[in-house]
Amino acid sequence: MTENVVRLVKTPPTGPQSDVTPTVLTVVPDAPPAPLVPLWVRSGRAVKTAVTHENTKSAARAVARHSLYTFNGGRIVARRTWDGKTGARYERMIRTAEAAGNLEAAEEWEERLQRFRQARHHRRMDLLHSPVEAAKGLAVGTGVGIGVLVALGVVMAINNHDVTDVITPLKATIEFIALLIQIVQVVWGPALIIGPLLALLALWTVGSNQQAAPQWALPANIRSSEGEPLTPSIVVKALRDLGVPALRNAIKDMGDAGASMLGPIRIAGCGVEVDVTLPSGVSTIEVQQRRRKLAENLTRHEHEVFITIPEAARTVRLWVADSGALDEPIGPSPLVTDETMTADYAKGRAPWGQDLRGDAAGLSLYQRHVLVTGVSNQGKTAALRALALWAALDKRVEFRIADLKGVGDWDVFDNLATVLIQGPTDDHVIQATEMVEAAVAEMNRRIGERLHNPQALFDPLICIVDEAQKAFMCPAKDEDKRPYGGAKATSRYFMGVREIHNQGRVVDVLMWQGTQDPTDQNLPKLVREGAHTRASLALGTESQAVMALGEKAINGGAAPHLLRQGLDKGTLVVASDGIDIPKGQSSITVRTHFIDDDEAKAITDRAKALRDGVTTLHAIDTGEQRDPLADIASVLGNAPRVLTRDVLQRLTALDADAYSTWTNGDLKRVLEAHGAEPYKSDGLMNVNAERVARALANRDDEGSASATG
């Protein structure tokens, strides 16, 4: 029950009777007082605040750190003492040599152990006789000393003519000894206190020099040692703490604390490289599967550590980048900086970028089919185009290109490629398929000519299909009900690519494809395995990485699925015999040069100057009357919405004569007229595909109704 709280208020009288009217006391209800907070609650809050305060945490870390320095320093000193007094060090070295299979070294260390034990036995036997020898020496020394002092006293007595001086040296010696005893008595008490403190200080110094404390207890400047140079002790400690029991125990038993596992640490580009020979019982896959933990143990990010399998057995090769080095650009392409550069398709190498060691990575394109894959917007088209730009500087090379994205990335090859198809619709896929089939026909013609003339040589014909997944997923069928897409024996695009993969190389008819998010549906197994050069940008899963590069490359350490999407743009993992790969590895990581549109145009202008003139066939006929709404619907593809600027680019690629002069206002006017006006999302104007499709359907229905009426 809640009590009513009242208070008495004195109200002064008013009016003419105020002189005689008594003061009125009024009862006024008062508001209930604020609830009282129990003392223990306030104390708990204060304790919690104190415990979580940064100063409290720092003090706790300092206490733990210095305590552990002393404790672990004692352990280190005890271990060193034990190693010095026993044969433990030699026994560890023997076990290390045996684990490494080095029997000669094991025998040598066993001989050293025997010599150590013999020397220790001699020392112990000498100690058995030392008390008697020490007593004899002390007796002789004492007698000689007393004799010398007496002789000195006799000399003094003769010189001073005082017989009492004979014992003066003995007396002085006894007084000196008494003084020493007094000094010891005075110092002994403080020494009993200071001595242990000095011993603790010595142990603390040993522990401090070795940083013998957990990482969380170390000072901030030591805990944040990101990017510190790698030393053998850091690498061994990182391996020891990797969470592999067999590896940890083997390092513990090694006499050299694991140093014998490491090869030389070599500077390799923007990082260092070291080979690690694993002890018996530890598999290379156990280390590969712990890449992130190893990187963190080395104070690096996961993307800054690469683990590959070299030729030597039971060995992993670690490449560790300098902290932040992989986030720096690698510089412009030689195609841009050297305006006099030309290409040789047969003998040259395309300057694609740099490997992780900082060496130039050149790719031979001679008679090699190419497949570049990765998730969207990671630089796939730029990487593929960079190869084509170099090949274009050899005037013998002919290009036939189908860009099924259709946003103008390949515009620079206009009047350079003999065929240039750009667009995302099924019609463009049909034309791309016909382009591939025409390349198959040319391949068969060349093969027939080679049969009659084995010495016949042919100019390279490179057939490029960018966004090839759209071709494999196209549902359209021809008049004979044969599908253009798919991966069956009746699929026209699939069979065309397979025929070029099977026989095109020998007559220099090559197939280059760029695709994204590989699956068995949008990149069939026979097609991806038909490419001689397989390169992958960042991917989402390991299974996709296997599809992109093959199981051999992934088992050998290739890991495009561990590249950072959005941050490692242009970084490729390449499996090919056309690029220099370190011996024993199955792939190499390449950071490609980025060539923008203006630079690409300058390069293609140089390539055009090498040729007499090329007429490019555009598969889309631009002379017909365009239907803007239908064209907008076609370039939207399967996307739910597309930025207005991208729609304009795709319309221009579809028909430059009709749409190259269009502005945002023109696009908006056409869409508003049909009730499908653009809308703003995240500050950018978008076109909604569903609205456009609905407007197109309504218009067709209205047209049908008018015709019926």
Side-chain angles (χ1 to χ4, degrees):
M1 179 180 295
T2 303
E3 296 184 357
N4 292 326
V5 181
V6 299
R7 56 191 174 94
L8 298 178
V9 180
K10 183 184 293 185
T11 305
T14 58
Q17 302 296 329
S18 59
D19 296 14
V20 296
T21 305
T23 300
V24 179
L25 295 178
T26 308
V27 179
V28 180
D30 200 355
L36 296 177
V37 179
L39 180 60
W40 63 269
V41 173
R42 287 178 288 171
S43 301
R45 291 173 181 170
V47 169
K48 182 179 179 181
T49 303
V51 169
T52 58
H53 195 276
E54 187 59 34
N55 292 339
T56 305
K57 293 181 180 179
S58 300
R61 281 196 297 265
V63 172
R65 177 170 66 251
H66 295 295
S67 300
L68 291 170
Y69 279 169
T70 306
F71 176 75
N72 291 326
R75 293 179 56 191
I76 294 171
V77 171
R79 186 181 183 88
R80 291 175 180 174
T81 304
W82 178 258
D83 288 344
K85 297 295 183 181
T86 67
R89 177 183 291 109
Y90 299 94
E91 292 173 357
R92 286 199 303 270
M93 297 302 294
I94 291 171
R95 288 194 296 269
T96 301
E98 290 176 345
N102 192 344
L103 298 181
E104 294 181 359
E107 292 176 357
E108 181 181 350
W109 281 108
E110 188 171 3
E111 291 177 2
R112 293 184 182 183
L113 176 59
Q114 293 300 328
R115 290 196 297 268
F116 169 80
R117 286 173 175 171
Q118 291 175 359
R120 184 178 61 184
H121 175 72
H122 290 312
R123 288 195 301 271
R124 288 176 177 175
M125 295 304 296
D126 291 340
L127 286 175
L128 293 176
H129 302 287
S130 60
V132 177
E133 298 296 332
K136 292 179 180 179
L138 180 61
V140 173
T142 302
V144 173
I146 293 174
V148 171
L149 292 175
V150 170
L152 181 60
V154 171
V155 173
M156 292 177 61
I158 295 172
N159 183 61
N160 297 331
H161 306 286
D162 187 357
V163 71
T164 60
D165 285 344
V166 173
I167 63 173
T168 298
L170 287 173
K171 184 179 179 180
T173 301
I174 293 172
E175 290 176 351
F176 177 72
I177 293 174
L179 177 62
L180 290 179
I181 292 173
Q182 290 178 357
I183 293 174
V184 171
Q185 289 175 341
V186 172
V187 173
W188 184 253
L192 291 177
I193 300 175
I194 297 175
L197 295 179
L198 292 177
L200 291 176
L201 178 61
L203 297 179
W204 178 90
T205 303
V206 173
S208 176
N209 291 336
Q210 296 292 327
Q211 297 295 328
Q215 191 73 9
W216 58 266
L218 295 176
N221 60 332
I222 298 178
R223 291 201 310 273
S224 59
S225 56
E226 182 174 333
E228 64 179 346
L230 290 189
T231 62
S233 61
I234 291 176
V235 177
V236 171
K237 187 175 183 298
L239 293 169
R240 184 194 69 193
D241 299 337
L242 202 55
V244 182
L247 181 59
R248 181 180 63 250
N249 295 334
I251 293 174
K252 182 179 179 181
D253 293 337
M254 291 179 182
D256 58 356
S260 60
M261 297 193 309
L262 306 184
I265 297 180
R266 305 176 296 272
I267 296 177
C270 57
V272 295
E273 186 179 72
V274 59
D275 287 350
V276 181
T277 302
L278 301 176
S280 178
V282 181
S283 170
T284 55
I285 192 66
E286 293 182 280
V287 178
Q288 283 184 299
Q289 290 175 343
R290 292 168 172 81
R291 177 185 176 191
R292 174 175 294 181
K293 189 170 185 179
L294 178 61
E296 293 172 350
N297 290 348
L298 294 170
T299 65
R300 295 295 193 275
H301 297 291
E302 183 178 13
H303 71 277
E304 294 175 329
V305 174
F306 288 81
I307 306 173
T308 54
I309 309 299
E311 192 173 31
R314 215 171 67 231
T315 302
V316 293
R317 177 168 294 162
L318 306 181
W319 185 87
V320 183
D322 298 335
S323 185
L326 295 183
D327 297 326
E328 299 294 330
I330 65 171
S333 168
L335 291 173
V336 176
T337 58
D338 185 1
E339 296 183 356
T340 63
M341 176 177 283
T342 57
D344 186 341
Y345 159 78
K347 300 179 181 179
R349 289 176 178 260
W352 213 5
Q354 294 179 1
D355 62 18
L356 296 178
R357 295 168 181 80
D359 299 328
L363 179 67
S364 173
L365 305 177
Y366 179 64
Q367 294 187 343
R368 288 180 175 87
H369 305 301
V370 177
L371 172 64
V372 180
T373 187
V375 298
S376 178
N377 195 31
Q378 295 302 299
K380 169 178 50 63
T381 298
L384 194 61
R385 190 176 69 173
L387 297 178
L389 288 172
W390 177 81
L393 295 177
D394 186 337
K395 64 180 182 180
R396 299 171 299 168
V397 178
E398 177 188 352
F399 293 99
R400 299 182 184 181
I401 301 173
D403 175 17
L404 299 181
K405 181 164 53 178
V407 295
D409 290 331
W410 294 87
D411 276 346
V412 293
F413 280 83
D414 197 5
N415 295 324
L416 183 59
T418 54
V419 177
L420 180 59
I421 301 167
Q422 298 187 93
T425 66
D426 289 347
D427 288 337
H428 295 94
V429 172
I430 292 171
Q431 293 164 8
T433 302
E434 293 172 349
M435 179 190 76
V436 172
E437 291 174 339
V440 172
E442 172 63 15
M443 176 191 72
N444 292 331
R445 184 195 68 78
R446 294 184 179 190
I447 292 175
E449 185 175 341
R450 178 69 61 83
L451 292 176
H452 293 88
N453 180 12
Q455 304 301 321
L457 298 177
F458 306 101
D459 289 340
L461 170 58
I462 300 178
C463 189
I464 302 175
V465 179
D466 196 7
E467 303 296 340
Q469 76 278 356
K470 295 185 71 66
F472 289 109
M473 300 299 290
C474 179
K477 296 182 180 181
D478 62 14
E479 59 276 6
D480 297 326
K481 303 301 181 181
R482 290 184 60 195
Y484 288 93
K488 297 181 179 179
T490 57
S491 301
R492 292 179 57 177
Y493 179 81
F494 170 75
M495 291 305 298
V497 173
R498 286 294 299 139
E499 290 188 46
I500 295 177
H501 278 178
N502 290 337
Q503 297 178 294
R505 182 186 65 83
V506 295
V507 290
D508 291 301
V509 176
L510 305 179
M511 190 74 206
W512 292 6
Q513 295 182 98
T515 183
Q516 60 179 258
D517 288 334
T519 65
D520 285 328
Q521 289 72 39
N522 64 25
L523 188 60
K525 184 175 186 292
L526 292 177
V527 171
R528 59 181 185 255
E529 291 186 352
H532 303 99
T533 295
R534 300 167 71 172
S536 176
L537 296 119
L539 287 172
T541 64
E542 184 175 351
S543 62
Q544 287 183 318
V546 171
M547 292 180 187
L549 299 179
E551 288 188 6
K552 180 181 178 181
I554 301 304
N555 293 338
H561 55 289
L562 296 181
L563 294 174
R564 301 167 299 166
Q565 184 174 349
L567 297 177
D568 290 326
K569 282 188 176 182
T571 299
L572 286 163
V573 182
V574 184
S576 172
D577 61 350
I579 194 170
D580 292 333
I581 296 178
K583 191 175 182 180
Q585 296 181 205
S586 55
S587 65
I588 188 172
T589 301
V590 177
R591 304 172 68 200
T592 59
H593 297 293
F594 176 71
I595 303 175
D596 63 30
D597 290 343
D598 293 337
E599 294 168 342
K601 186 177 185 305
I603 296 170
T604 53
D605 287 343
R606 287 156 43 196
K608 293 172 185 176
L610 298 174
R611 293 164 170 79
D612 295 333
V614 176
T615 301
T616 298
L617 173 62
H618 296 276
I620 298 295
D621 181 11
T622 59
E624 62 181 349
Q625 184 67 31
R626 307 303 311 186
D627 181 350
L629 186 61
D631 287 343
I632 293 172
S634 67
V635 300
L636 290 177
N638 296 325
R641 64 181 184 181
V642 179
L643 295 175
T644 54
R645 63 168 181 264
D646 291 342
V647 173
L648 291 173
Q649 290 177 351
R650 295 179 184 183
L651 288 173
T652 301
L654 180 66
D655 190 341
D657 294 338
Y659 299 115
S660 61
T661 59
W662 268 39
T663 64
N664 287 326
D666 296 323
L667 179 62
K668 182 179 179 182
R669 185 182 65 255
V670 171
L671 292 174
E672 284 183 342
H674 295 86
E677 62 274 9
Y679 67 100
K680 182 175 289 188
S681 176
D682 296 332
L684 299 174
M685 296 302 294
N686 290 263
V687 178
N688 186 284
E690 184 179 353
R691 294 182 184 177
V692 174
R694 187 165 55 247
L696 188 61
N698 292 338
R699 188 193 65 176
D700 293 341
D701 291 342
E702 291 173 1
S704 299
S706 300
T708 303

